[in-house]
mmCIF file of all heavy atoms in Angstrom:
data_model
loop_
_atom_site.group_PDB
_atom_site.id
_atom_site.type_symbol
_atom_site.label_atom_id
_atom_site.label_comp_id
_atom_site.label_asym_id
_atom_site.label_seq_id
_atom_site.Cartn_x
_atom_site.Cartn_y
_atom_site.Cartn_z
ATOM 1 N N ARG Q 197 98.791 102.746 -73.088
ATOM 2 C CA ARG Q 197 99.097 101.916 -74.217
ATOM 3 C C ARG Q 197 100.507 102.268 -74.748
ATOM 4 O O ARG Q 197 100.907 103.452 -74.838
ATOM 5 C CB ARG Q 197 98.108 102.142 -75.345
ATOM 6 C CG ARG Q 197 98.239 101.283 -76.513
ATOM 7 C CD ARG Q 197 97.145 101.520 -77.512
ATOM 8 N NE ARG Q 197 97.309 100.769 -78.789
ATOM 9 C CZ ARG Q 197 96.782 99.607 -78.955
ATOM 10 N NH1 ARG Q 197 96.023 99.083 -78.002
ATOM 11 N NH2 ARG Q 197 96.947 98.915 -80.130
ATOM 12 N N LEU Q 277 107.641 74.059 -70.839
ATOM 13 C CA LEU Q 277 106.236 74.231 -70.795
ATOM 14 C C LEU Q 277 105.610 74.350 -72.193
ATOM 15 O O LEU Q 277 104.660 73.690 -72.559
ATOM 16 C CB LEU Q 277 105.791 75.347 -69.909
ATOM 17 C CG LEU Q 277 104.420 75.432 -69.342
ATOM 18 C CD1 LEU Q 277 104.027 74.275 -68.486
ATOM 19 C CD2 LEU Q 277 104.178 76.719 -68.521
ATOM 20 N N ASN Q 306 95.959 99.698 -56.714
ATOM 21 C CA ASN Q 306 96.186 98.401 -57.400
ATOM 22 C C ASN Q 306 96.751 98.638 -58.807
ATOM 23 O O ASN Q 306 96.367 97.952 -59.813
ATOM 24 C CB ASN Q 306 94.925 97.653 -57.503
ATOM 25 C CG ASN Q 306 94.291 97.211 -56.193
ATOM 26 O OD1 ASN Q 306 95.008 96.726 -55.258
ATOM 27 N ND2 ASN Q 306 93.018 97.584 -55.933
ATOM 28 N N ALA Q 489 100.911 82.561 -32.046
ATOM 29 C CA ALA Q 489 100.506 82.432 -33.450
ATOM 30 C C ALA Q 489 99.135 81.864 -33.667
ATOM 31 O O ALA Q 489 98.265 82.273 -34.472
ATOM 32 C CB ALA Q 489 101.517 81.610 -34.294
ATOM 33 N N LEU Q 525 97.654 81.508 -44.348
ATOM 34 C CA LEU Q 525 98.254 82.362 -45.372
ATOM 35 C C LEU Q 525 97.951 81.794 -46.837
ATOM 36 O O LEU Q 525 97.711 82.542 -47.693
ATOM 37 C CB LEU Q 525 99.707 82.453 -45.143
ATOM 38 C CG LEU Q 525 100.476 83.542 -45.911
ATOM 39 C CD1 LEU Q 525 99.876 84.941 -45.698
ATOM 40 C CD2 LEU Q 525 101.966 83.640 -45.481
ATOM 41 N N GLN Q 650 85.385 83.576 -42.950
ATOM 42 C CA GLN Q 650 85.413 84.457 -44.099
ATOM 43 C C GLN Q 650 86.724 85.156 -44.299
ATOM 44 O O GLN Q 650 87.124 85.848 -43.342
ATOM 45 C CB GLN Q 650 84.252 85.541 -44.019
ATOM 46 C CG GLN Q 650 82.856 84.856 -43.895
ATOM 47 C CD GLN Q 650 82.472 84.045 -45.064
ATOM 48 O OE1 GLN Q 650 82.671 84.513 -46.175
ATOM 49 N NE2 GLN Q 650 81.863 82.892 -44.824
#
Side-chain angles (χ1 to χ4, degrees):
R197 184 181 175 89
L277 198 59
N306 300 308
L525 196 53
Q650 300 298 316

